[in-house]
């Protein structure tokens, strides 16, 4: 649980709330299968600050759209405004890894892979990355395998906005023009030095570094009631929602 002067919340709830705040009204937003945190984030935004978004949740019985509208083709046509990614590794060049750990030819561990994540990272207008830890094993100088790249040759057209990355310590972004990660804010209970020590490459960190506004009582209440109920009713990871988004006294 995340504690302090603000209402206590879990790591998952923290990431859900932070990502929901950055969703823009009227966007078409999508996440892949086994994406509980992104799904809850979209539904929280729809219930609070972005009531007109279109949500495509591939792990949902009722909210997957028309067969997910085939989100890969949707992205290729420039119609996908926002997509969520996670990854096991991120590196200084803005690459991410979803495939293997260790030597790609003889890996220590094989991962599920990307299922089109590389393509969508090129074609979606905005990408939210998230990771439920912040450590030097996640943020490495060079990924073991490039599942997707943030920087490409100038003749390859990419959306101009930087990737945003949400972790348990900070909100960061990667600017393709400067090819650098920068820290936008650090969460309560952590410092810029904590972020720096737990990242395996240099970051641009402002001085002083802003503190991330923590989840409010209202945001957490909406998440634990309205969003939780909707996830259960629509078959959107109902078991996870029932256990992870439990009502708690403030």
């Amino acid at each position: 649980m995340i504690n302090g002067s603000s209402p206590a919340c879990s790591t998952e709830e923290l990431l859900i709330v932070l990502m929901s705040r950055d969703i823009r009204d009227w966007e078409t937003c999508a996440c892949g299968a086994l994406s509980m945190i992104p799904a809850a984030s979209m539904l929280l935004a729809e219930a609070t600050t972005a009531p007109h978004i279109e949500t495509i949740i591939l792990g949902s019985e009722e909210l997957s759209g028309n067969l997910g509208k085939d989100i890969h083709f949707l992205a290729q046509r420039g119609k996908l405004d926002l997509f969520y990614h996670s990854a096991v590794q991120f590196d200084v060049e803005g690459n991410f890894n979803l495939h293997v750990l260790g030597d790609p030819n003889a890996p220590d561990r094989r991962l599920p892979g990307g299922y089109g994540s590389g393509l969508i990272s090129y074609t979606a207008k905005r990408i939210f990355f998230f990771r439920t830890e912040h450590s030097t094993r996640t943020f490495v100088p060079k990924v073991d395998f490039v599942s997707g790249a943030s920087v490409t040759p100038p003749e390859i057209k990419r959306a101009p906005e930087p990737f945003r990355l949400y972790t348990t310590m900070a909100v960061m972004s990667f600017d393709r023009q400067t090819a650098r990660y920068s820290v936008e804010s650090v969460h309560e209970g952590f410092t810029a030095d904590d972020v720096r020590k737990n990242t395996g490459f240099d970051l641009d960190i402002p001085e002083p570094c802003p503190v991330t506004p923590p989840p409010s009582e209202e945001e957490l209440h909406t998440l634990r009631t309205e969003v939780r109920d909707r996830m259960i009713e629509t078959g959107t990871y109902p078991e996870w929602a029932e256990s992870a988004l439990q009502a708690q006294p403030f």
Side-chain angles (χ1 to χ4, degrees):
M1 300 292 288
I2 309 298
N3 292 290
S5 58
S6 304
C9 67
S10 67
T11 295
E12 291 83 359
E13 289 173 326
L14 173 68
L15 295 176
I16 289 166
V17 169
L18 297 185
M19 291 192 292
S20 76
R21 292 172 178 172
D22 292 330
I23 295 175
R24 299 167 184 166
D25 206 6
W26 302 99
E27 285 190 310
T28 296
C29 313
C31 63
L34 300 178
S35 297
M36 298 78 160
I37 291 174
S41 172
M42 288 189 283
L43 295 179
L44 179 59
E46 189 175 33
T48 54
T49 59
H52 303 102
I53 60 172
E54 182 175 2
T55 60
I56 302 171
I57 302 172
L58 296 191
S60 173
E61 294 176 5
E62 296 185 23
L63 302 177
S64 59
N66 299 323
L67 299 178
K69 293 187 175 179
D70 199 326
I71 57 176
H72 302 92
F73 291 133
L74 196 68
Q76 288 176 330
R77 296 197 301 269
K79 301 295 186 181
L80 182 58
D81 297 306
L82 174 63
F83 192 77
Y84 292 78
H85 280 307
S86 189
V88 69
Q89 289 179 325
F90 301 89
D91 72 17
V92 66
E93 298 177 0
N95 302 312
F96 62 94
N97 174 19
L98 288 160
H99 281 80
V100 298
L101 290 176
D103 182 350
N105 296 314
D108 299 324
R109 184 178 178 185
R110 292 186 182 275
L111 304 168
Y115 188 65
S117 294
L119 181 151
I120 292 181
S121 72
Y122 277 66
T123 53
K125 295 178 182 177
R126 295 206 296 152
I127 297 291
F128 285 176
F129 280 103
F130 67 99
R131 189 74 169 101
T132 54
E133 71 168 271
H134 193 130
S135 69
T136 52
R137 73 172 185 171
T138 293
F139 295 98
V140 296
K142 182 65 177 178
V143 296
D144 294 339
F145 186 91
V146 179
S147 302
S150 299
V151 178
T152 45
E155 64 269 18
I156 297 178
K157 184 176 177 59
R158 300 287 292 273
E161 292 202 44
F163 288 131
R164 303 201 80 190
L165 199 160
Y166 304 79
T167 78
T168 52
M169 287 189 182
V171 178
M172 306 193 298
S173 61
F174 185 86
D175 190 326
R176 296 192 192 94
Q177 302 302 315
T178 62
R180 295 275 296 182
Y181 271 106
S182 61
V183 176
E184 297 185 3
S185 65
V186 174
H187 307 334
E188 278 190 339
F190 298 101
T191 66
D193 282 341
D194 292 328
V195 176
R196 189 178 289 109
K197 291 174 183 176
N198 285 278
T199 304
F201 49 81
D202 289 338
L203 299 163
D204 292 334
I205 304 179
E207 181 61 42
C209 188
V211 176
T212 308
S216 67
E217 291 187 10
E218 182 178 0
E219 288 170 320
L220 291 174
H221 177 74
T222 302
L223 175 62
R224 294 167 178 170
T225 55
E226 184 175 341
V227 173
R228 179 178 184 267
D229 291 347
R230 190 172 180 208
M231 293 183 78
I232 294 170
E233 292 166 0
T234 59
T236 306
Y237 309 116
E239 294 84 6
W240 176 86
E242 189 170 5
S243 62
L245 305 178
Q246 297 186 32
Q248 301 171 20
F250 292 114

